[in-house]
Amino acid sequence: MDNLSKALIPADTPPERVLQFGTGVLLRGLPDYYINKANQQGKFNGSIVVVKSTEGSTDEFARQDNLYTVVVRGIQQGQPIAENTVVTAISRVLAAQTDWKEILRLAQNPDLQIIISNTTEVGIQYVEESIFQHPPQSFPAKLTAFLYEVFKNSGGSKKRGMVVIPTELITDNGLKLRDIVEKLAKYNELGRLFMKWLKYHVRFCNSLVDRIVTGRPDAERYQQLQQELGYQDNLLTMTEPYRLWAIEGDDRVKEMLSFAQADSSIIIEEDITFYRERKLRVLNGSHTLSVPLGYLMGMETVYQNNQHPVMARFIQQLMLEEIVPTVPTDTMPEAGPTAIEQFARDVLDRFRNPHIVHLLPNILTQQTSKMQARNVATIQRYYDKFGTVPQHMALGFAAYLLYMKAIRVEGNTYYGELSASGQTTTYPIRDEKADYFYQLWHTVDVHDSASVRQFVHSVCADTVLWGADLSALPDFADTVARNLSDMVTLGVEATAAKRLSASV
């Protein structure tokens, strides 16, 4: 079977207008997909130069003439979706380690005014270093070096202004990246005029991306797709139908990002707080409260979690009855309440997608920080609105505490234990608070409800951990403790079934 290439799928290469730091599947399945769509509709006419920041070869792109296929499979508003799109928007892929001079030479191109990145959350970190290395080590230093090169080549012209859109999954990613670039500019003594140009002519946009992109599926499914497509594609990118890219920007940003006209799921507004809160609370928050419960019951993927009768009911009720009503209304657009419920129903469709293999252990990393960021405010808002215990949140919180119970330590790795389907297995707890819980759990007699209650109250009262005293919320800690005691004595699934039956 032939490799995907331009000999197989002829494609023109428009002018290079976008510089992209990162080669990962999220970028291939969302921003690059959008730009390709805009090119096909005649609304952008621009290609993407991709920078591979990490070590390694770019041969996998070169062998396919930088083409790849986005395979969309799933359910949208109850209807099955199946689409295959060959993305032709990438002009070339350059390796920072070996092609740094060529990357800097791109600064001479007046058409190139958009920079996109996804270097993982760790990528947006301040590292005090020279930007004159070949190449600089950190992504922000590479970006600063490129922007300085644009400034020098243009004489600081406002016509060479840039729009920088990080897609890393951190709040205020644009503002944080700008702050780091400014610090690097001062550390490297790049001068007052560069700082002025940076301030007035380079727009760093906060952005939010939302699409599950898993890349290549397992070997069997991959072979099936190759037969369907009629060619071999080693960069094949599997994704779901749902997509959203919310970008914080004004009319100037809208004008420069003309590719946004190609798809209504690209949102450019001056404040994207609503979209960030909606995703953080409804999608991410429901994950954090449901995944430990499902995992301890023996589920391995999000799809399995949403096929299990107890878990499916738990997730739907948690989301629609407890989380959706608490999303703050002060940042909502006119159709906010309706949009939140529709988003929740879309999320449920996404969770039920059999084509996306989303492993629960991958979601379970750093559960403590996720619980604090995604759910503490939601629990508090539920009390503010209803004045009572959110029963599903309390059950999910108890499962999280049990998941954090380590039975042994090997080196720096803590291991928990779960029993499901007649088998007992161990799992690594990948959480920076693993030792904190290991020490606390060692003081607990799990067969003594008073001991369990004391443990739960201690954890809930830890304001350093949560930024709030959850034990002060009426009956919350006691409800969590009852759930946790039952999970230890009756089993996780029996406890969940019992609580859901009681809530009817």
Side-chain angles (χ1 to χ4, degrees), residues 122-378:
V122 178
I124 301 188
Q125 301 277 351
Y126 177 66
V127 178
E128 201 167 79
E129 61 174 312
S130 169
I131 68 160
F132 300 107
Q133 302 173 76
H134 283 264
Q137 294 303 304
S138 69
F139 158 61
K142 290 182 178 74
L143 175 61
T144 306
F146 182 81
L147 291 173
Y148 187 58
E149 202 70 17
V150 173
F151 168 78
K152 289 192 301 179
N153 276 281
S154 67
S157 170
K158 67 178 181 180
K159 294 180 179 179
R160 287 301 317 277
M162 309 289 290
V163 174
V164 180
I165 317 167
T167 65
E168 289 81 356
L169 295 175
I170 57 175
T171 303
D172 294 333
N173 45 21
L175 293 177
K176 288 175 181 174
L177 184 57
R178 169 184 278 282
D179 181 62
I180 294 170
V181 168
E182 289 177 347
K183 286 181 181 177
L184 282 164
K186 291 176 182 176
Y187 175 76
N188 284 272
E189 299 179 345
L190 300 184
R192 181 178 57 82
L193 291 178
F194 174 70
M195 295 295 291
K196 183 178 179 181
W197 179 79
L198 193 65
K199 179 178 180 180
Y200 290 107
H201 304 306
V202 180
R203 176 66 186 264
F204 289 77
C205 300
N206 294 327
S207 87
L208 170 74
V209 288
D210 188 5
R211 193 177 210 184
I212 298 171
V213 186
T214 57
R216 273 176 58 171
D218 61 62
E220 181 180 353
R221 182 69 177 123
Y222 178 55
Q223 290 299 323
Q224 292 173 351
L225 286 169
Q226 286 187 122
Q227 293 300 320
E228 178 185 328
L229 295 168
Y231 54 77
Q232 183 173 325
D233 181 357
N234 291 317
L235 293 170
L236 186 146
T237 303
M238 193 94 179
T239 187
E240 62 175 341
Y242 183 89
R243 56 190 181 271
L244 174 73
W245 192 7
I247 302 168
E248 222 160 58
D250 52 17
D251 289 341
R252 174 173 167 257
V253 170
K254 288 181 181 179
E255 182 180 349
M256 293 181 73
L257 305 184
S258 59
F259 60 77
Q261 301 169 20
D263 199 297
S264 61
S265 62
I266 305 177
I267 308 292
I268 302 178
E269 295 182 2
E270 293 191 4
D271 186 352
I272 62 169
T273 302
F274 166 72
Y275 302 98
R276 184 170 59 244
E277 275 288 303
R278 186 179 67 173
K279 177 177 183 286
L280 181 71
R281 305 301 170 189
V282 178
L283 192 156
N284 301 131
S286 63
H287 262 331
T288 306
L289 285 164
S290 65
V291 168
L293 186 62
Y295 186 69
L296 292 175
M297 288 166 56
M299 258 56 76
E300 296 179 356
T301 67
V302 171
Y303 175 72
Q304 289 176 352
N305 222 18
N306 284 266
Q307 293 303 301
H308 188 281
V310 173
M311 284 306 305
R313 186 175 161 205
F314 170 80
I315 293 166
Q316 180 165 322
Q317 291 179 354
L318 166 72
M319 196 182 296
L320 297 177
E321 297 174 16
E322 293 187 0
I323 296 179
V324 165
T326 68
V327 177
T329 59
D330 54 347
T331 61
M332 287 185 186
E334 188 174 338
T338 303
I340 291 171
E341 183 166 343
Q342 183 57 56
F343 177 76
R345 297 192 182 280
D346 288 341
V347 169
L348 290 169
D349 274 347
R350 297 165 70 184
F351 286 177
R352 297 165 184 149
N353 188 346
H355 303 282
I356 299 297
V357 180
H358 202 177
L359 297 173
L360 300 190
N362 293 343
I363 300 172
L364 285 165
T365 58
Q366 301 301 339
Q367 276 291 102
T368 304
S369 61
K370 289 175 180 176
M371 186 68 75
Q372 191 280 328
R374 301 171 175 182
N375 297 112
V376 168
T378 303

Side-chain angles (χ1 to χ4, degrees), residues 405-409 415-417 426 429 438 442:
K405 183 180 184 296
I407 59 166
R408 73 174 192 273
V409 185
Y415 289 89
E417 183 178 83
T426 60
I429 301 172
Y438 180 69
H442 266 279

